[in-house]
Every structure is written in C-alpha cells, then in structure tokens.
Amino acid sequence: MHISHFEQVAPVCPVCRTHPLRLGQTALAEGDDIREGSLLCTNPRCQREHPILDGIPILVPDLNQWLEPQLHWVLRRQDITPFALSMLTDILGAGSVLDRELGNLSTYTEAHWGAEATFAPFLDGALSLLPEAPAGPAIDVGCSVGRGTFELARLTGQLTIGVDLNFSMLRLAEQLRRSGKAAYPRRRVGIVFDEAVAKSPYPPENVSFWCADIAALPFRDASFGTLLSLNILDCLATPQSLLTETRRLLNKNGQAILATPFDWAVNASPAGAWIGGHSQRTTPGAGSSVEMFRYLLPHLGLQLVAEENDLRWRLRVHERSTTEYSVYAAALRTGM
C-alpha cells in the first residue's frame, strides 16, 4: 500500500465508521510502499488496529471472523513448490478447502489473465454502457484478481482501488501490481493442477488492492468518480448493501457499472435478501431479478441510464469443462 494512496482516499475505520485511520507502525516497506504494518483508528472510544499484510490493508469490521477461514492463505509460504502443493492437495482430497481455493484461483485468474482472457471482452462490453468516459478516483468492488482494477486505472489515469474479501485473490493481484507477473494453479482435471504464470501489461502506479467488506466499505462519502462491480451482487449476504454503498461512494458526477447473472449463491445470502428470484406472487415482475433491480434503484437514490440484458461471460472450470453466464449489466448515476 502506497502511503500516497492512503492519504488520497483518507479511509475511515470500518468498525466505528466515523473516524479516520492513521498510519501506525511500519514493519516492512520499500520507499513509501508499505508491505507490512498497521493502521489505527483515531477514535479514542474505538482504537482498533488493522493490519497491512503483503501490501494489502485489511479493513474489515470483524478481523477475527475474517481471518479464521483465511488464515491458511495469509500464512501460506510463497516458496512452496508445485510438487509439494500437489501432494497436499492429494492428501486433503477433492472438495477440501485447499481444492476449492485452488479451483477459484484457477478459474478466475484464467478468465482475467489467461491466454483467452474471457474477462477482457466482457469488461469492454460492460464499460461501453457508460455515457461518459470513466473518471477517477475509481473503485472496483469485488475485484477478484484485479484485471478490472488495472483497466480502470488505465482509462482514468487516476488512483483506482480494487476491493475484495478473498485474500488469496488479492495477493495474486498485488503480486501482479508489484512485479508484473504471478504464478497461479491452473486446473487440468480433478485435483490435478499445473503451474501457470499470469502477466500484466499495465503500469502499476495508480493501482492499490485493499481487503474490505462490501457492506461496510471504509471510505468517505462521495470519494469516487467511477464504481465498477462485476458479478458479485449475487454472492453477497446483503445484496442491497452494494446499491446503498454505490450511492454513498459516488461523487456528484459519478457513474457506476453493476453487472450480475443473478445466479444467487444460497450459501452466501438467504433467499429473502435476494433481489428478485423469489416471491413471484408479490414482488415487481413476478419475482424477476431484473425488474426488482430496476424497481429498487430510485428508492436508493440511483438512476438507470443504460443496460444490457445478455452480456456473455465464459469461465474455464478445467480442460474439459466451461461455464457460460448470461449477465445483466447496468450503467448507473446518482439520482437527481
């Protein structure tokens, strides 16, 4: 995390949500780029400490709840060989925490940075809906392994922050920012993974990756000119929080792109919290997610300016399997 990026966005504490954070102790740094350190809440009644690990500030309300399932990735050695990783994957077996996380890294890194990079044309299609060119500062909410963050930084020429809760994906994105390349596991079949290398052609100067909860983003009101959020709405415990945070974070002339296949993740959010997809007897559009999304926008202070109902996005699962989504994308502005 560059100190200059921290100073520009001046984040607030995600716990008390009222007071700014200040730099605490720095344990490891390269110039003004902090690799390990801490951020401290300036509220005397809060005084929470938030870590910076591998260059990524961890700004979540409940650090213990976040860290417990992520600990193996936070502590994972960077020098572990593909040979040793293969043995560990075999020992734990299919469906293990390691297998699932390696599979996620394989699927999303391949989509963002692989030879075919299906995310790139999908992103272009989504951004084409914006009525004006993206303006910074910008934020990529649910950034995964970072391709959209780098692209927004290129388009705006200004600071762009990628936000996600998944530390393994953020660390890969941060490695791309720092060195321009990062090794990742590419699933061949079953629990067989080959080592592949992602390479980024983007300049790193205006890019920063932060770990934060979408329901409690640690930024002041009206901090950003552009907000991008692709394929994360249907994976949230409280999907409407993304819409309310979009309205809060955009400045007066800000615009946003939200895209989702409305493929609701039952392990992430209860059906009653979904935007459509249930209660076809009472909700607008007889349970239609698109109709319910449109219905909510003016009530949450957002204006729909353009939309596309069938953006195609293909994900590689392994060498003999792909998944393709029909994604709804909407360009939004703050309501007048």
Side-chain angles (χ1 to χ4, degrees), residues 56-119:
I56 301 165
I58 314 296
L59 301 180
V60 297
D62 191 332
L63 279 165
N64 183 277
Q65 184 182 50
W66 172 83
L67 182 58
E68 189 170 355
Q70 305 265 354
L71 183 60
H72 59 292
W73 288 105
V74 173
L75 297 178
R76 183 182 169 198
R77 290 165 34 205
Q78 295 298 291
D79 61 346
I80 191 168
T81 65
F83 176 82
L85 189 60
S86 173
M87 285 196 299
L88 295 175
T89 308
D90 284 350
I91 291 168
L92 291 172
S96 68
V97 171
L98 182 59
D99 174 43
R100 293 197 301 270
E101 198 67 24
L102 292 177
N104 284 334
L105 280 172
S106 171
T107 294
Y108 291 100
T109 309
E110 190 70 13
H112 281 233
W113 301 104
E116 296 185 9
T118 58
F119 183 80

Side-chain angles (χ1 to χ4, degrees), residues 10-312:
V12 297
C13 174
V15 178
C16 68
R17 305 296 300 275
T18 57
H19 283 59
L21 296 170
R22 67 175 177 85
L23 288 172
Q25 186 174 356
T26 297
L28 181 63
E30 297 174 3
D32 81 333
D33 197 355
I34 300 176
R35 298 290 304 276
E36 289 183 9
S38 64
L39 299 171
L40 303 176
C41 179
T42 56
N43 182 353
R45 296 185 178 182
C46 182
Q47 299 187 50
R48 298 300 179 93
E49 182 180 33
H50 299 274
I52 303 169
L53 301 173
D54 290 334
I56 301 165
I58 314 296
L59 301 180
V60 297
D62 191 332
L63 279 165
N64 183 277
Q65 184 182 50
W66 172 83
L67 182 58
E68 189 170 355
Q70 305 265 354
L71 183 60
H72 59 292
W73 288 105
V74 173
L75 297 178
R76 183 182 169 198
R77 290 165 34 205
Q78 295 298 291
D79 61 346
I80 191 168
T81 65
F83 176 82
L85 189 60
S86 173
M87 285 196 299
L88 295 175
T89 308
D90 284 350
I91 291 168
L92 291 172
S96 68
V97 171
L98 182 59
D99 174 43
R100 293 197 301 270
E101 198 67 24
L102 292 177
N104 284 334
L105 280 172
S106 171
T107 294
Y108 291 100
T109 309
E110 190 70 13
H112 281 233
W113 301 104
E116 296 185 9
T118 58
F119 183 80
F122 171 76
L123 176 64
D124 290 343
L127 291 175
S128 71
L129 296 174
L130 291 174
E132 299 175 8
I139 183 169
D140 181 9
V141 179
C143 66
S144 183
V145 290
R147 181 69 178 263
T149 312
F150 282 100
E151 184 64 15
L152 268 186
R154 183 189 71 82
L155 291 171
T156 64
Q158 295 189 44
L159 174 61
T160 300
I161 294 179
V163 172
D164 209 290
L165 272 177
N166 187 297
F167 192 78
S168 63
M169 292 189 180
L170 286 169
R171 183 155 60 184
L172 191 145
E174 175 65 10
Q175 288 173 344
L176 286 167
R177 182 193 75 82
R178 190 172 297 278
S179 65
K181 63 180 180 179
Y184 69 97
R186 188 175 189 267
R187 191 191 294 273
R188 194 191 314 168
V189 68
I191 53 175
V192 176
F193 293 87
D194 299 311
E195 185 176 88
V197 176
K199 295 182 179 180
S200 169
Y202 296 96
E205 290 80 12
N206 292 325
V207 175
S208 193
F209 292 102
W210 297 33
C211 182
D213 187 343
I214 290 171
L217 291 169
F219 306 108
R220 296 166 298 156
D221 295 357
S223 289
F224 298 99
T226 303
L227 183 146
L228 178 71
S229 184
L230 303 180
N231 306 323
I232 194 68
L233 179 72
D234 51 8
C235 300
L236 301 176
T238 54
Q240 284 196 37
S241 64
L242 177 56
L243 298 179
T244 56
E245 285 292 85
T246 296
R247 175 63 182 87
R248 184 182 71 82
L249 291 176
L250 287 178
N251 60 31
K252 182 178 179 181
N253 298 312
Q255 51 188 353
I257 288 288
L258 267 63
T260 173
F262 295 114
D263 185 29
W264 298 105
V266 295
N267 61 334
S269 57
W274 299 351
I275 297 175
H278 66 94
S279 301
Q280 62 266 37
R281 300 162 307 284
T282 57
T283 57
S288 164
S289 287
V290 171
E291 290 298 323
M292 189 65 185
F293 180 87
R294 292 173 181 151
Y295 170 79
L296 286 174
L297 293 178
H299 297 280
L300 298 175
L302 292 166
Q303 178 185 11
L304 177 66
V305 295
E307 61 184 342
E308 168 58 55
N309 198 45
D310 187 26
L311 273 182
R312 294 290 167 159

